[in-house]
Amino acid sequence: MARQQGWFALILALAIAAGSVTASFPLELGLDLRGGSQLTLEVQPAGEITRVKAEQLEAVKAVLDRRVNGLGVAESTLQTIGDNQLVLQLPGEQDPTRAAKVLGETALLEFRAQKPGTEEEVRGLQRLKRQVESILKSKQERAISGESPSDDELDKQQLVEAQQAFGLQGSVGSEIEQLEQLNEKVSIKIAELFEPTSLTGKDLVTAGRQQQQNVPDSWEVTLSFNREGGDQFAELTQSIAGTGRLLGIVLDGRSISEASVGEQFRAAGITGGAATISGNFNAEDARDLEVQLRGGSLPLPVEILEVRTIGPTLGAENIRRSLIAALSGLALVAVFMVVAYRLAGLVAVLALSLYALFNLAMYALIPVILTLPGIAGFILSIGMAVDANVLIFERVKDELRRGNTLIRSIETGFSQALSSIVDGHLTTLISCAALFFLGTGLVKGFAATLGIGVVLSLFTALSCTRTLLRFLMGYQALRRPTNFLPAKQLPSSLA
């Protein structure tokens, strides 16, 4: 009796703990339930590569995966489609523009030395770039605040002349878009005035960001090289120290920063394997660059084929329909169990309620990202849990028909059904493992929820159901064979 009470207290404590977990930790919903964005990307062949192979697709996926994690978008999924496409899902992200920009850029970082004799040309381009960036920032701020444009900016004629100089005459789009195009062209032109070196982003160990001292709203990106990269950086800075030539930091063929190297570094260069990029970055720009550099450069270029947004309204509708399906299924199962197995069926319904509660607690703790296929796996696992109870109760019925006492019939029913229940659950777990490790995306979600459900089904069927039945059998009024089997099916000695 004491052992029985101990099991009952344990199950009650687990139920309270599970309820507390589900109340404290909200379930994480996938794209189809929460809404968000989906990006379809295509890997493009380049250079000597004429066809994208499986290993190259996986290499691109690995880089993109690191970038997505760096963006801080929770519960994102990235999976391959076909021979050269990837699908990225960003739950809760209703504006995928920034993510598309960060993911689509190659992020090839280069450190270049300024070509001799280009000092005057570089200074002119830097001056134009600062002017364009200042005007662009001012116009963007006014566009956000709704203020009218100011007249004390670069006049129309200067803008037209600069566009013509870079082959942008007649370019379409708003004035802000035209300024962005001009800024891009100037950055590319500056990069062309710097000689490529052997020091690139492949020698980076990590990247970070920090706010510049005494410069409000201005950030810089910090770099840390491996030993070989640190030696190359020291040699590069030593070669241009005190010469008036600049050190150019180039990303995807665009100059993002040009730095001078002082006379004091002529002897040994800048040692220590660390560098800083300062290019008038705001917090978001610095974060994006840090993410790209941490993730590494893409081995092949990527093109964004489609950006699709799923609104929260559609996600809410999916949740509503899923809840209706789940609750309807539970209700029908409960009615069937009570009608077919009477008191034992009622116990099974209580055990299933505990089972559902334990499942939700596990989803919140792991955490499991719930999607429509995941909910399908949960509902299917309920069927597995019911199946275990059906096997047990049918054995109990058989023992009662043979004339055994009620208590002995219950104990025999559990012991004889054990091997069948374990075998059935084990084979399902093997299928779940295969789906999880060999499948992708939504298939993994289905396998995860079904696998968790199968494991918990064993616990509830063999522990919760047995403990609840034993507890109820402690009451004389409930200890009647007719509570489990109609009187006409019982032997005359038990009827």
Side-chain angles (χ1 to χ4, degrees):
M1 187 67 180
R3 183 179 178 184
Q4 176 183 324
Q5 290 176 344
W7 272 104
F8 186 79
L10 174 62
I11 291 172
L12 184 62
L14 288 174
I16 294 172
S20 176
V21 167
T22 52
S24 304
F25 300 94
L27 294 173
E28 296 185 358
L29 304 179
L31 182 68
D32 49 359
L33 298 179
R34 184 178 170 187
S37 301
Q38 178 174 294
L39 283 73
T40 303
L41 309 99
E42 184 176 78
V43 181
Q44 305 285 334
E48 298 178 355
I49 299 174
T50 57
R51 188 175 69 86
V52 179
K53 298 180 180 179
E55 58 269 21
Q56 293 159 343
L57 185 63
E58 286 301 317
V60 172
K61 181 182 176 183
V63 173
L64 292 177
D65 200 35
R66 290 194 294 269
R67 290 191 186 181
V68 171
N69 292 334
L71 281 172
V73 181
E75 308 100 45
S76 59
T77 59
L78 181 64
Q79 55 185 328
T80 57
I81 300 292
D83 296 330
N84 64 342
Q85 291 187 3
L86 297 161
V87 173
L88 171 65
Q89 294 184 342
L90 303 171
E93 181 62 60
Q94 296 300 321
D95 182 14
T97 307
R98 173 172 167 253
K101 178 179 179 294
V102 173
L103 295 173
E105 292 186 344
T106 309
L108 175 60
L109 182 69
E110 300 174 89
F111 294 84
R112 300 183 179 182
Q114 184 182 351
K115 296 177 181 178
T118 60
E119 290 80 2
E120 188 63 33
E121 190 175 359
V122 168
R123 280 195 293 269
L125 289 170
Q126 286 179 318
R127 189 164 50 248
L128 176 59
K129 183 179 179 180
R130 286 193 296 269
Q131 194 176 17
V132 172
E133 286 177 344
S134 175
I135 298 168
L136 182 58
K137 182 179 179 180
S138 176
K139 285 187 177 294
Q140 288 172 336
E141 290 175 350
R142 286 192 172 91
I144 293 172
S145 62
E147 296 180 21
S148 57
S150 175
D151 294 330
D152 57 350
E153 297 174 348
L154 187 68
D155 60 36
K156 297 286 185 181
Q157 184 59 36
Q158 287 178 290
L159 176 59
V160 170
E161 290 175 358
Q163 287 177 316
Q164 289 176 345
F166 290 95
L168 295 174
Q169 61 267 34
S171 58
V172 296
S174 65
E175 194 171 4
I176 289 179
E177 291 173 338
Q178 292 181 34
L179 285 168
E180 289 175 341
Q181 292 173 3
L182 179 58
N183 191 41
E184 178 96 356
K185 285 289 186 180
V186 173
S187 298
I188 293 173
K189 183 62 178 176
I190 292 176
E192 292 173 354
L193 300 177
F194 287 75
E195 297 174 329
T197 66
S198 58
L199 182 60
T200 64
K202 66 178 173 49
D203 299 305
L204 273 180
V205 174
T206 187
R209 60 181 174 134
Q210 63 187 20
Q211 197 163 9
Q212 285 186 282
Q213 295 181 352
N214 304 322
V215 184
D217 300 324
S218 186
W219 290 71
E220 57 188 12
V221 177
T222 58
L223 308 175
S224 178
F225 298 102
N226 57 25
R227 182 173 180 178
E228 182 181 351
D231 292 341
Q232 291 178 350
F233 186 68
E235 291 176 9
L236 174 60
T237 51
Q238 181 186 17
S239 67
I240 60 175
T243 63
R245 297 164 63 198
L246 301 177
L247 172 66
I249 301 173
V250 178
L251 181 70
D252 290 341
R254 304 187 307 272
S255 178
I256 57 174
S257 181
E258 306 88 36
S260 59
V261 181
E263 179 73 28
Q264 67 271 27
F265 297 107
R266 183 183 287 275
I270 301 176
T271 57
T276 301
I277 304 176
S278 56
N280 295 322
F281 300 121
N282 57 32
E284 186 174 307
D285 291 338
R287 175 61 172 166
D288 289 347
L289 180 56
E290 176 197 353
V291 167
Q292 289 176 316
L293 297 179
R294 276 180 180 269
S297 61
L298 288 169
L300 291 173
V302 170
E303 180 183 351
I304 309 292
L305 294 183
E306 180 189 28
V307 177
R308 185 163 62 94
T309 302
I310 298 176
T313 304
L314 180 59
E317 178 64 16
N318 288 337
I319 293 176
R320 187 184 68 83
R321 291 183 179 181
S322 300
L323 285 175
I324 291 174
L327 293 176
S328 300
L330 280 171
L332 291 173
V333 167
V335 170
F336 169 78
M337 293 298 291
V338 172
V339 170
Y341 299 104
R342 303 193 173 195
L343 181 61
L346 181 61
V347 170
V349 172
L350 293 174
L352 282 176
S353 300
L354 290 172
Y355 166 79
L357 182 61
F358 294 155
N359 262 284
L360 294 176
M362 289 296 294
Y363 295 164
L365 280 175
I366 291 177
V368 172
I369 303 164
L370 271 183
T371 60
L372 287 176
I375 292 177
F378 169 59
I379 296 173
L380 183 59
S381 68
I382 292 175
M384 291 289 299
V386 171
D387 180 64
N389 285 287
V390 168
L391 287 172
I392 294 168
F393 298 153
E394 285 296 333
R395 294 283 187 178
V396 172
K397 281 185 175 183
D398 289 341
E399 294 300 315
L400 287 173
R401 290 189 186 101
R402 292 192 182 103
N404 281 330
T405 62
L406 179 58
I407 300 300
R408 180 174 293 179
S409 296
I410 292 174
E411 294 301 321
T412 304
F414 275 96
S415 62
Q416 290 188 353
L418 176 62
S419 61
S420 299
I421 293 172
V422 171
D423 289 347
H425 283 64
L426 184 60
T427 53
T428 306
L429 274 176
I430 292 172
S431 300
C432 291
L435 286 173
F436 186 83
F437 290 109
L438 300 178
T440 57
L442 300 178
V443 175
K444 281 192 171 185
F446 172 81
T449 54
L450 180 57
I452 293 170
V454 168
V455 173
L456 290 176
S457 170
L458 270 176
F459 172 74
T460 53
L462 300 178
S463 298
C464 296
T465 303
R466 175 179 281 189
T467 301
L468 291 173
L469 265 178
R470 285 176 171 175
F471 179 79
L472 292 177
M473 290 303 97
Y475 294 91
Q476 188 65 37
L478 299 176
R479 200 185 302 167
R480 298 175 182 171
T482 52
N483 286 333
F484 292 79
L485 202 63
K488 60 182 180 180
Q489 297 183 24
L490 290 169
S492 55
S493 59
L494 295 177

